[in-house]
Amino acid sequence: MSALVGAFTAILAIVSVPSTAHAAGGATCEGGNFRVILPGGQTFSARGGYKVKASNLANGSVIQVRGKYIDYDVNVSTFAVYNYTLTGAAGADDMTGGVRTPLFTSKEPAIANNALDSGDLDIRLDTQSIELRRDGRNIKMKIQAKDCSQGGIFQMEPEIDAGGTIVFTHVLAPGIYYYVNPYTLKVNFGNSAMVVGKDSPQVATKTYQDDFKTVWSVTAGGRMGGVLGEDAVESSPSATSCPQDCQAQNQIHGSVDVLDPRYDD
């Protein structure tokens, strides 16, 4: 039996333990602050905008994004993301129990290996947030993220001059798996402890799913994102169709129910 289905029963046992329940109330981002380390070691950490010339970025090299709560690496030529990890730093809404916890081995858009190499890299750092942008040959890529212990957004957005779609492949880290949440009946990812998340697509179609990998076809101007913790188990509707200038989150007027008892007051 597939772990995606079999985990349904296992998760019931996990979430029924009230002593491990987290109180609802939003993400803890206190102290969150990303810094970006270039392949040559130059580091940006202060709030503001920075431009790195294409000539200073070796093709296929990797920049390191390091936060208080979240770490990951980005290939400068493709904007593929590797080793997306919760650091285990202490926070009121920590899901890791203080244990460094990799969530994704990779989040890869299927674009040509040198598609972005002609463009400069734009970096914008703000309190608890980051935006990376690079305009290459007939394609633009953007990454937005917040540095929070849970609930922080993460979004990858492609823009293709000729339109069309891009395939994104998400591969979970060892110890993390996809499962059907028995309370929301939606697919989450997580582990046997308290870590829980959800892929958050917009203008995207899932074309493959197994226990450890998903494949999505994303329309240009759409996005592939993700949310963690309470945001991953809300009973909110799916994201609206948005082919241009998509936002990481849609506004909710009023309140939404949190059905998973791990995040219920």
Side-chain angles (χ1 to χ4, degrees), residues 7 9-18 20 177 183 191-194 262:
T9 302
I11 293 297
L12 279 173
I14 297 167
V15 299
S16 64
V17 182
T20 59
Y177 52 85
Y183 296 98
N191 59 16
S192 58
M194 288 297 297
R262 285 175 291 183

Side-chain angles (χ1 to χ4, degrees), residues 211-226:
D211 306 329
F212 309 106
K213 181 171 75 173
T214 55
V215 180
W216 301 82
S217 178
V218 181
T219 300
R223 54 106 163 127
M224 276 307 306

Side-chain angles (χ1 to χ4, degrees), residues 118-133:
S118 61
D120 298 336
L121 173 66
D122 290 312
I123 302 169
R124 177 162 294 279
L125 295 171
D126 205 342
T127 304
Q128 305 163 351
S129 68
I130 187 172
E131 179 178 303
L132 303 172
R133 184 190 295 266

Side-chain angles (χ1 to χ4, degrees), residues 7-245:
F8 184 101
T9 302
I11 293 297
L12 279 173
I14 297 167
V15 299
S16 64
V17 182
S19 62
T20 59
H22 286 223
T28 295
C29 306
E30 183 177 357
N33 184 36
F34 284 117
R35 67 187 190 279
V36 177
I37 305 170
L38 298 185
Q42 184 180 8
T43 300
F44 303 108
S45 58
R47 294 176 60 183
Y50 307 92
K51 185 179 292 289
V52 182
K53 293 294 185 181
S55 57
N56 293 328
L57 295 169
N59 297 355
S61 59
V62 170
I63 62 174
Q64 301 173 59
V65 179
R66 298 292 181 263
K68 177 179 179 179
Y69 302 106
I70 296 171
D71 290 347
Y72 56 89
D73 302 325
V74 180
N75 184 308
V76 299
S77 297
T78 64
F79 264 35
V81 169
Y82 299 103
N83 306 315
Y84 185 94
T85 299
L86 298 177
T87 66
D93 289 336
D94 174 53
M95 300 183 292
T96 69
V99 177
R100 185 175 178 85
T101 306
L103 297 184
F104 287 90
T105 296
S106 59
K107 299 183 175 200
E108 295 183 308
I111 64 177
N113 288 337
N114 61 345
L116 300 176
D117 288 337
S118 61
D120 298 336
L121 173 66
D122 290 312
I123 302 169
R124 177 162 294 279
L125 295 171
D126 205 342
T127 304
Q128 305 163 351
S129 68
I130 187 172
E131 179 178 303
L132 303 172
R133 184 190 295 266
R134 197 173 189 192
D135 299 353
R137 189 181 65 250
N138 303 319
I139 187 171
K140 302 173 183 178
M141 290 290 295
K142 180 170 67 175
I143 291 175
Q144 295 173 282
K146 291 194 72 175
D147 185 21
C148 307
S149 58
Q150 67 162 264
I153 61 169
F154 181 89
Q155 171 177 310
M156 302 174 69
E157 182 178 336
E159 184 177 332
I160 313 169
D161 291 347
T165 61
I166 292 180
V167 173
F168 280 72
T169 301
H170 287 185
V171 178
L172 295 175
I176 306 295
Y177 52 85
Y178 286 107
Y179 65 92
V180 176
N181 188 306
Y183 296 98
T184 66
L185 300 183
K186 296 181 180 180
V187 175
N188 285 129
F189 59 80
N191 59 16
S192 58
M194 288 297 297
V195 174
V196 61
K198 182 170 70 70
D199 289 332
S200 178
Q202 194 162 29
V203 199
T205 301
K206 186 189 297 182
T207 61
Y208 179 81
Q209 170 93 71
D210 65 22
D211 306 329
F212 309 106
K213 181 171 75 173
T214 55
V215 180
W216 301 82
S217 178
V218 181
T219 300
R223 54 106 163 127
M224 276 307 306
V227 291
L228 299 172
E230 180 181 325
D231 290 347
V233 295
E234 287 179 342
S235 58
S236 55
S238 300
T240 55
S241 179
C242 169
Q244 187 174 3
D245 296 326

